[in-house]
Amino acid sequence: MAFEENYVLSVVVPVGQLNGQISALQSWISIVNNVQVIMVLDHIDDKTREAINLAFAITNHPGIQIFEVDFRNPGDSRNFGLSKATGSWILFADADDVPQISSIEEAIHSTKDTADIIVGNFETLAVKTGKKTKHEAENLQDLIKRLPKNLGLWRFVFRNQYLRESGVQFPPLCMAEDQVFYLELNPRETQFEFANLVFYSYHVGNYYQLTNDPEKIQDLRIAINLSLHKISQRQTFRNLDFLAAQIFALLGNSSQRHLIGNLLFLLGISPKIISLFGLGKLILISTYPVRRLR
């Protein structure tokens, strides 16, 4: 379906219960200009709603758009934001992190017309200590080695037309919805570009992060089942890279690692066999889809 592109970049940001802590949002939204920022307030608490309204509702920036919904999961919130996006390119950000908009815009302006996705580098910020750690690939080969450690969909910038034509949607989950989304994209058929720029500052240690909510852990099991279903729909043994992609995605934090054994068991693969041949080699297979990065 045709749509009018009014911005170069749209940033979709689901906002949940932050207890009024919106300093990360303010730090970058207050300095952007020709960028569409779509804040999707999902089952938000009163303190956060008040803080958002005070900070942004009376702004003269036409690109800042605020919607309130009650999905209670970032997957549906991102889908909603995507439906409102009119930028040529789309970034999916989290409300407690800081995207580096100037670097992303620089990459967009220098990208090829054939690119569907631009992938950049990122840094982590320990909120409690203020320590920054850069995760920078130097070149394409280095990026391929690093991707298995942290997929980080928030450092992927998607061409809007590509997403609309693919029809890919996030599942209605609170955790691992981005990994399932990645599998839906079928990276083998996608044109990537790598930008040696820091696209994103990922903040760790916030007590209100969904990854710290034990009640949301069950969504990981649902994500695995969805991934297995998608894998089963593909031709056999071309699937190994998608299996490995899901494995390395689930390696994201310690609360997820125990699910890997269940995933391998369900696929009839012995963890002992995997370790015998080297899990590292299996994980590297998962980078095959991005070997087409330009």
Side-chain angles (χ1 to χ4, degrees), residues 9 18 21 71 117 195 217 239 266:
L9 176 66
L18 303 179
Q21 304 299 311
F71 297 128
I117 299 174
I217 295 296
N239 301 330
L266 288 171

Side-chain angles (χ1 to χ4, degrees), residues 214-229:
E215 294 184 359
K216 308 301 183 185
I217 295 296
Q218 61 181 343
D219 277 10
L220 294 175
R221 192 175 297 275
I222 298 173
I224 288 176
N225 289 334
L226 286 172
S227 300
L228 290 173
H229 176 67

Side-chain angles (χ1 to χ4, degrees), residues 16 87 99 105 164 175 198 225 245:
E105 289 178 322
R164 290 178 181 271
M175 296 181 69
V198 174
N225 289 334

Side-chain angles (χ1 to χ4, degrees), residues 141-242:
Q141 290 72 27
D142 192 23
L143 175 69
I144 291 173
K145 294 178 182 178
R146 290 170 179 264
L147 272 182
K149 297 180 181 179
N150 195 324
L151 179 66
L153 205 67
W154 22 255
R155 57 171 165 154
F156 286 55
V157 186
F158 301 88
R159 193 182 292 275
N160 196 339
Q161 183 178 356
Y162 163 74
L163 288 182
R164 290 178 181 271
E165 290 178 353
S166 70
V168 174
Q169 296 274 286
F170 288 89
L173 300 175
C174 292
M175 296 181 69
E177 77 285 347
D178 49 350
Q179 283 87 4
V180 178
F181 180 84
Y182 175 74
L183 290 180
E184 283 268 27
L185 288 175
N186 194 4
R188 289 177 181 272
E189 308 301 326
T190 301
Q191 296 294 327
F192 289 83
E193 280 193 14
F194 167 62
N196 192 6
L197 297 166
V198 174
F199 277 9
Y200 203 80
S201 178
Y202 180 71
H203 293 192
V204 295
N206 288 322
Y207 69 91
Y208 44 79
Q209 287 179 310
L210 286 174
T211 50
N212 295 327
D213 187 346
E215 294 184 359
K216 308 301 183 185
I217 295 296
Q218 61 181 343
D219 277 10
L220 294 175
R221 192 175 297 275
I222 298 173
I224 288 176
N225 289 334
L226 286 172
S227 300
L228 290 173
H229 176 67
K230 296 180 191 312
I231 289 171
S232 68
Q233 292 178 324
R234 303 183 188 275
Q235 295 177 357
T236 40
F237 239 75
R238 184 183 131 174
N239 301 330
L240 187 57
D241 57 338
F242 289 94

Side-chain angles (χ1 to χ4, degrees), residues 7-279:
Y7 297 90
V8 173
L9 176 66
S10 295
V11 185
V12 176
V13 190
V15 181
Q17 300 194 4
L18 303 179
N19 196 30
Q21 304 299 311
I22 65 167
S23 58
L25 276 173
Q26 289 178 290
S27 69
W28 65 272
I29 293 180
S30 61
I31 60 174
V32 299
N33 293 310
N34 190 30
V35 173
Q36 181 187 29
V37 180
I38 303 170
M39 284 184 278
V40 184
L41 313 186
D42 186 10
H43 190 59
I44 202 168
D45 60 280
D46 291 338
K47 284 187 178 180
T48 303
R49 180 186 295 105
E50 182 180 353
I52 292 285
N53 287 335
L54 184 63
F56 304 116
I58 60 173
T59 181
N60 292 323
H61 189 331
I64 297 178
Q65 300 172 15
I66 302 173
F67 302 90
E68 188 158 356
V69 298
D70 193 30
F71 297 128
R72 306 194 183 199
N73 70 83
D76 278 335
S77 295
R78 289 194 178 101
N79 293 333
F80 180 87
L82 175 60
S83 72
K84 304 295 182 181
T86 60
S88 301
W89 293 85
I90 296 177
L91 174 76
F92 297 102
D94 292 337
D96 52 355
D97 298 330
V98 179
Q100 305 299 318
I101 300 299
S102 60
S103 294
I104 294 170
E105 289 178 322
E106 179 182 343
I108 289 173
H109 290 311
S110 62
T111 194
K112 298 177 181 177
D113 292 338
T114 56
D116 299 313
I117 299 174
I118 311 171
V119 188
N121 291 315
F122 72 101
E123 66 181 14
T124 55
L125 172 67
V127 175
K128 293 182 180 180
T129 65
K131 180 181 178 181
K132 287 186 178 181
T133 304
K134 289 190 176 181
H135 304 264
E136 293 182 299
E138 297 180 358
N139 49 46
L140 173 59
Q141 290 72 27
D142 192 23
L143 175 69
I144 291 173
K145 294 178 182 178
R146 290 170 179 264
L147 272 182
K149 297 180 181 179
N150 195 324
L151 179 66
L153 205 67
W154 22 255
R155 57 171 165 154
F156 286 55
V157 186
F158 301 88
R159 193 182 292 275
N160 196 339
Q161 183 178 356
Y162 163 74
L163 288 182
R164 290 178 181 271
E165 290 178 353
S166 70
V168 174
Q169 296 274 286
F170 288 89
L173 300 175
C174 292
M175 296 181 69
E177 77 285 347
D178 49 350
Q179 283 87 4
V180 178
F181 180 84
Y182 175 74
L183 290 180
E184 283 268 27
L185 288 175
N186 194 4
R188 289 177 181 272
E189 308 301 326
T190 301
Q191 296 294 327
F192 289 83
E193 280 193 14
F194 167 62
N196 192 6
L197 297 166
V198 174
F199 277 9
Y200 203 80
S201 178
Y202 180 71
H203 293 192
V204 295
N206 288 322
Y207 69 91
Y208 44 79
Q209 287 179 310
L210 286 174
T211 50
N212 295 327
D213 187 346
E215 294 184 359
K216 308 301 183 185
I217 295 296
Q218 61 181 343
D219 277 10
L220 294 175
R221 192 175 297 275
I222 298 173
I224 288 176
N225 289 334
L226 286 172
S227 300
L228 290 173
H229 176 67
K230 296 180 191 312
I231 289 171
S232 68
Q233 292 178 324
R234 303 183 188 275
Q235 295 177 357
T236 40
F237 239 75
R238 184 183 131 174
N239 301 330
L240 187 57
D241 57 338
F242 289 94
L243 162 63
Q246 187 61 19
I247 290 175
F248 83 70
L250 292 172
L251 282 168
N253 61 52
S254 58
S255 66
Q256 298 170 344
R257 292 186 185 121
H258 70 281
L259 295 177
I260 295 172
N262 291 341
L263 175 61
L264 297 175
F265 174 77
L266 288 171
L267 290 173
I269 302 174
S270 167
K272 291 184 179 179
I273 293 177
I274 293 297
S275 62
L276 186 64
F277 286 98
L279 180 58

